Amino acid sequence: MANSKYEKLIALATTVCIILLGIALIVCTAHLYFTGGAQPYSRERVGGYLVILAAPLIITAGLAVAGVLMRIMQKKEADGLTARTNSELLESFRSRFDLSSMEGFEAELIRKERNNRRLFDIIAYATSALIFSFVLVYLGFIAEFTIDNLNGDVLSAFALALPLCAIAIGVHIPRIYFAEKSCKRELEAIKRYVKENVVPRAEKYENPKKKPDYALIARYVIIAASIVFIILGITNGGMKDVLAKAVKICTECIGLG
Amino acid sequence: MKNAFVKIRNWWSEHGITKRRLIQLYSALLFNSYLKGYITGDIFKGATKNLCTPGLNCYSCPGAVTSCPLGALQNSFSASGKTAPYYMLGIIMLYGIIFGRWICGWLCPFGLLQDLLHKIKTPKLKKNRFTRVLSFLKYVILVLFVVVIPLLYMTKDFPLPAFCKYICPAGTVGGALGLLINPENEGMFGMLGPLFTWKFALAVSIIVACVFIYRTFCRFICPLGALYGFFNKFSIFGIKLEKDKCVNCGKCISVCKMDIHHVGDMECINCGECIPVCPTKAISYKGAKIILPDSEIEAAKTDEEKAAVEKKREKRVKLASRITALVLSLTLIGSLVYFNFIYDDGVDVPSGDEEEDDGIPTGSAIGYKCPTYSLDLVDGSGQINIKDLRGKIVIINFWGTWCGPCKQELPDFDQVATDYDGEVVVLTVHTVDYAEEAPEYIATNFPDSKMLFAYDESLTDTIDMYFTLLGGTSSYPRTLVLDEKGVIVFTADGKVEHSQLVDVIEETKNK
């Protein structure tokens, strides 16, 4: 954490330099590509742009190194705690008290908040599931995927698929926002109740040792399955395929065509 | 003297490198031990590439001595029409069940890069409700880019590792930049185009984001972390929370920079930073039973017995640490020495047929006479030699059915062979790998082609003869154009466009 004037200055300067350098790199790459004609990249052209960016690169690197050295010279400490969410606070508070026999206005309020949260959860998860299912069906059966226009087909398929996926994830933002507000109201209700009534403490958690340890069983099953799969893979040539690919440069994987 | 030593030791314990950082640096160096690759500009081709790194480490990186599990998984899905992907599924399951996301926190080289970038002194964006929602993006990327697209294109017999091709920054940073900075790879600049522009812009964006947002790639994009996350709860290594000691104070969640809901869940990278902040010592590393069984700890009743058990535990931990450190150090030193000084790919550069006495030296570069060699034709009708094709312009293309860009450009070569029939001969040479697939592929896609199809020969298990003779290193496809006298006038690594071929042919004709 920056606490002296010089540290704050370095932090600010580093921030500005890194952001500007990042933008400059992207702009230069785009400029190289769009003004380069049939073969936009060559060692000479790239070298020319690197010469232009040399000074900002060196300054940014210098600031970054200075900041890291400052950090090393300071005592190791935690980066600071993030604030807890209302749902975490609620769970923590509920775990301390036995609220099973709660009744009255607050109990009714809590029941109402929980039901509303549950409803929002169902709507949000159902909407996400529906959208994701549609995306999979679209990609599997409807979208055009050819080899001649490989990148174009993949891009146009995902021009539809990715925004839909963003919506499917984005529906959870209002759900979480509502859930946080609801948890805050519930927490306030519980605190009011605890303040006005005698509420027993929650019983300490006791490890149910007699129950089978499902995690251990799952572990053994997965280990056994993985060893069987590996042996099957070695016998059916799968391991040889991994080697065959790995000893050749995957030019498309590293952006080289 | 003793005071100075104590002062240094105290300073080191307050400011020095942590054990976790040391292990991260160690694993990054171990999995990229082939430092010679940065000098030669080529990738490692040895048998250790049968194995996979647990974390993200592109196998096209010059230093990599093992395969990337994510790239190999996508390739396995792409080839799943012919070979069931048991091997890679087994590897992922084994790594997952042993380590879970402990790999992300301790072993992944790209994770180390992100941790180091986050150390740069700038204001940081802390986790919040939005980042929690955004952390689901990596599961979407896992399903779409790692599973769905490779399988969809598998049905079209076209290998497409979509995550590696369109998203992965490790390939761009480690692979592309690692190869391009070497002067030996000047020819690779001709392969850069829109894909590189997109990937470089994406890699720069992710790297800049990592400075301000903790482990941007791990939290929001990495499908490998998403996969390992499913195993986190059951893995042998990792973090565990003892519920009977936990008082739900939430300090562990507050101090954690990942988007966890509780310690040890799918988002937890098992870094252990929550362990010292827990007031009731409810959090610990799994696997403690290996050092001292629970029964021995529970048997201690009095304070003296507990102290004795604790002393015994500390002694065992110290001994285990020393043995582990010794073994690991020897492994790293052994790797560095073996891969850089002892390993020999066993390639004697072949010389081809006897040189003709016409004053033009034989070689694989432009201006040299192309070495000649007899290759078996795919249709079984005999052999072909470049010498037999003198008097015509010859295009030699090295390709493979396993190679997406190779398959993409073949129709262009077929078109050229048809358009310039009689003046130009197109000779395609298939790699030794997957040679058995070539006849069916050619019969299906190029039944009446004017192109000639031949097989390369094997120099070693992983290196092809004529490809190496004609200057090929590790990247496919590779194209050479020879004039009527057999002199090389054009070479290219990577996909060649139809217009490029036409330009070269016209220029050669008019020479």
Side-chain angles (χ1 to χ4, degrees):
Chain A
M1 300 265 283
N3 41 25
S4 80
K5 196 172 66 176
Y6 296 113
E7 284 169 357
K8 283 183 184 164
L9 206 60
I10 286 190
L12 184 63
T14 313
T15 304
V16 169
C17 284
I18 285 175
I19 292 173
L20 289 177
L21 184 65
I23 293 170
L25 279 168
I26 294 171
V27 165
C28 286
T29 311
H31 192 255
L32 254 174
Y33 173 66
F34 287 111
T35 61
Q39 295 227 320
Y41 295 93
S42 67
R43 196 173 276 276
E44 293 75 30
R45 288 195 83 214
V46 171
Y49 280 84
L50 280 175
V51 165
I52 296 167
L53 290 172
L57 263 166
I58 291 168
I59 292 168
T60 308
L63 283 168
V65 168
V68 170
L69 284 173
M70 261 187 190
R71 218 180 149 119
I72 291 173
M73 296 314 290
Q74 287 166 352
K75 249 190 190 178
K76 264 188 275 192
E77 56 186 40
D79 281 333
L81 306 177
T82 48
R84 298 177 69 189
T85 61
N86 290 324
S87 50
E88 286 163 3
L89 289 167
L90 176 65
E91 198 184 311
S92 171
F93 204 80
R94 286 193 72 91
S95 67
R96 287 184 230 160
F97 297 99
D98 180 5
L99 299 166
S100 52
S101 52
M102 195 175 171
E103 33 183 53
F105 171 74
E106 277 81 13
E108 193 51 44
L109 186 90
I110 287 165
R111 215 167 294 132
K112 201 173 142 189
E113 292 293 347
R114 284 211 180 154
N115 288 339
N116 287 341
R117 282 205 304 275
R118 208 167 286 147
L119 184 64
F120 259 86
D121 284 352
I122 290 169
I123 293 171
Y125 281 109
T127 310
S128 294
L130 205 63
I131 294 174
F132 280 129
S133 306
F134 173 76
V135 166
L136 284 173
V137 166
Y138 170 73
L139 291 175
F141 299 102
I142 303 166
E144 274 292 313
F145 289 106
T146 63
I147 295 164
D148 297 336
N149 187 26
L150 176 71
N151 293 340
D153 286 345
V154 171
L155 278 171
S156 44
F158 282 87
L160 178 67
L162 284 174
L164 284 176
C165 290
I167 292 167
I169 297 174
V171 295
H172 291 275
I173 295 175
R175 175 185 72 82
I176 288 173
Y177 179 78
F178 172 79
E180 285 296 298
K181 293 282 180 208
S182 172
C183 287
K184 190 176 177 182
R185 285 192 291 269
E186 186 176 329
L187 185 62
E188 281 162 6
I190 293 175
K191 281 181 177 173
R192 272 198 308 270
Y193 184 82
V194 167
K195 199 174 172 182
E196 289 160 11
N197 299 276
V198 175
V199 180
R201 289 269 166 181
E203 280 179 17
K204 218 168 170 260
Y205 175 85
E206 280 193 13
N207 203 356
K209 286 182 186 164
K210 287 186 182 163
K211 265 195 201 167
D213 191 347
Y214 293 114
L216 199 63
I217 294 168
R219 210 181 267 170
Y220 287 139
V221 168
I222 294 173
I223 289 175
S226 62
I227 292 169
V228 166
F229 272 25
I230 290 171
I231 293 169
L232 281 172
I234 292 170
T235 52
N236 81 349
M239 190 171 89
K240 193 192 95 180
D241 291 348
V242 167
L243 177 68
K245 284 286 172 67
V247 295
K248 294 173 182 68
I249 296 173
C250 178
T251 52
E252 57 180 351
C253 297
I254 57 176
L256 263 58
Chain B
M1 183 70 181
K2 194 180 172 186
N3 276 343
F5 179 74
V6 168
K7 270 187 183 169
I8 290 169
R9 199 180 63 185
N10 288 341
W11 185 89
W12 184 257
S13 67
E14 285 174 7
H15 301 92
I17 197 168
T18 59
K19 274 188 197 143
R20 181 168 152 251
R21 188 71 70 234
L22 209 57
I23 291 173
Q24 283 179 303
L25 286 165
Y26 172 89
S27 67
L29 189 55
L30 182 69
F31 299 132
N32 293 283
S33 306
Y34 189 60
L35 303 175
K36 200 163 82 170
Y38 291 101
I39 301 168
T40 60
D42 199 6
I43 62 170
F44 182 69
K45 298 188 184 73
T48 51
K49 279 197 161 173
N50 277 305
L51 307 170
C52 287
T53 315
L56 202 72
N57 196 43
C58 185
Y59 54 69
S60 296
C61 172
V65 296
T66 50
S67 300
C68 174
L70 205 54
L73 184 65
Q74 290 167 82
N75 286 325
S76 297
F77 284 141
S78 291
S80 56
K82 293 161 193 135
T83 312
Y86 291 126
Y87 181 69
M88 277 319 302
L89 288 175
I91 290 277
I92 299 274
M93 282 163 67
L94 193 64
Y95 281 150
I97 199 62
I98 294 175
F99 299 110
R101 283 197 85 175
W102 191 84
I103 292 168
C104 303
W106 294 71
L107 298 179
C108 180
F110 205 71
L112 168 66
L113 175 66
Q114 292 172 86
D115 280 347
L116 294 176
L117 285 169
H118 199 69
K119 287 265 177 239
I120 296 172
K121 215 166 184 60
T122 61
K124 306 296 178 191
L125 283 164
K126 290 193 175 161
K127 68 181 182 190
N128 50 51
R129 289 163 225 152
F130 179 68
T131 60
R132 279 237 174 102
V133 171
L134 200 57
S135 66
F136 286 106
L137 178 63
K138 58 181 177 290
Y139 300 100
V140 173
I141 290 174
L142 170 67
V143 170
L144 293 184
F145 286 87
V146 177
V147 181
V148 169
I149 299 184
L151 286 176
L152 275 174
Y153 273 92
M154 178 272 292
T155 61
K156 298 187 184 303
D157 198 23
F158 187 83
L160 181 57
F163 176 79
C164 296
K165 178 167 179 168
Y166 295 113
I167 299 177
C168 185
T172 315
V173 170
L177 297 183
L179 290 166
L180 288 170
I181 55 172
N182 194 299
E184 297 284 331
N185 295 323
E186 179 138 10
M188 284 187 177
F189 277 90
M191 294 159 73
L192 304 182
L195 183 62
F196 177 78
T197 308
W198 157 248
K199 286 203 79 185
F200 184 75
L202 185 62
V204 167
S205 307
I206 290 172
I207 285 171
V208 168
C210 285
V211 174
F212 303 100
I213 305 170
Y214 184 68
R215 290 207 174 211
T216 311
F217 180 75
C218 289
R219 285 161 72 190
F220 309 129
I221 301 172
C222 184
L224 192 58
L227 263 176
Y228 287 146
F230 292 121
F231 298 95
N232 231 10
K233 199 174 173 184
F234 310 108
S235 63
I236 295 170
F237 283 84
I239 299 279
K240 67 175 179 188
L241 173 70
E242 287 170 77
K243 285 188 181 161
D244 47 355
K245 288 185 185 172
C246 176
V247 296
N248 260 309
C249 65
K251 279 192 180 153
C252 50
I253 299 173
S254 296
V255 86
C256 180
K257 298 192 211 70
M258 300 294 286
D259 303 285
I260 62 170
H261 289 273
H262 58 83
V263 166
D265 70 3
M266 283 166 65
E267 299 299 320
C268 177
I269 58 169
N270 301 299
C271 63
E273 299 211 353
C274 51
I275 295 176
V277 302
C278 180
T280 59
K281 307 257 183 278
I283 306 173
S284 58
Y285 287 112
K286 291 184 201 175
K289 284 179 197 170
I290 299 168
I291 301 294
L292 209 62
D294 284 344
S295 52
E296 227 177 296
I297 299 168
E298 284 157 14
K301 300 290 177 207
T302 65
D303 285 343
E304 281 166 3
E305 283 173 4
K306 283 181 184 173
V309 164
E310 184 56 32
K311 202 173 173 185
K312 189 177 181 183
R313 196 192 70 83
E314 273 175 19
K315 210 173 161 185
R316 284 190 184 181
V317 166
K318 219 172 185 177
L319 179 66
S321 301
R322 283 182 182 161
I323 293 171
T324 309
L326 182 67
V327 168
L328 292 177
S329 305
L330 289 173
T331 307
L332 180 62
I333 293 167
S335 298
L336 289 168
V337 167
Y338 173 74
F339 289 122
N340 294 290
F341 299 105
I342 298 174
Y343 171 76
D344 181 7
D345 59 12
V347 174
D348 284 321
V349 180
S351 57
D353 295 342
E354 213 175 286
E355 276 185 36
E356 294 162 10
D357 190 15
D358 57 4
I360 306 171
T362 306
S364 57
I366 291 174
Y368 286 79
K369 188 163 242 175
C370 179
T372 60
Y373 198 78
S374 293
L375 299 169
D376 293 329
L377 288 166
V378 169
D379 59 13
S381 59
Q383 290 194 320
I384 184 81
N385 196 310
I386 302 297
K387 253 190 297 198
D388 305 333
L389 303 171
R390 292 279 157 78
K392 292 184 184 168
I393 294 170
V394 178
I395 299 175
I396 307 174
N397 177 248
F398 293 95
W399 71 294
T401 50
W402 48 267
C403 166
C406 304
K407 283 173 151 178
Q408 249 190 311
E409 67 172 4
L410 270 183
D412 289 338
F413 284 97
D414 187 40
Q415 187 64 48
V416 161
T418 307
D419 294 344
Y420 290 92
D421 187 25
E423 297 173 280
V424 173
V425 175
V426 177
L427 171 65
T428 66
V429 183
H430 193 281
T431 64
V432 173
D433 288 321
Y434 304 97
E436 65 280 2
E437 291 177 9
E440 194 191 328
Y441 181 79
I442 292 162
T444 308
N445 295 281
F446 303 101
D448 302 311
S449 178
K450 303 276 183 211
M451 293 193 286
L452 295 172
F453 297 93
Y455 291 122
D456 207 335
E457 276 184 21
S458 178
L459 197 59
T460 68
D461 283 344
T462 54
I463 300 172
D464 290 359
M465 209 285 299
Y466 203 42
F467 178 72
T468 309
L469 184 60
L470 262 53
T473 50
S474 305
S475 65
Y476 280 80
R478 180 168 168 77
T479 304
L480 296 95
V481 179
L482 319 179
D483 67 9
E484 292 89 340
K485 292 180 190 158
V487 175
I488 298 171
V489 296
F490 173 82
T491 64
D493 287 306
K495 205 158 76 84
V496 176
E497 300 296 333
H498 180 261
S499 54
Q500 247 182 311
L501 282 172
V502 168
D503 288 344
V504 171
I505 291 167
E506 293 299 328
E507 204 181 307
T508 311
K509 274 167 65 177
N510 297 332
K511 213 170 54 172

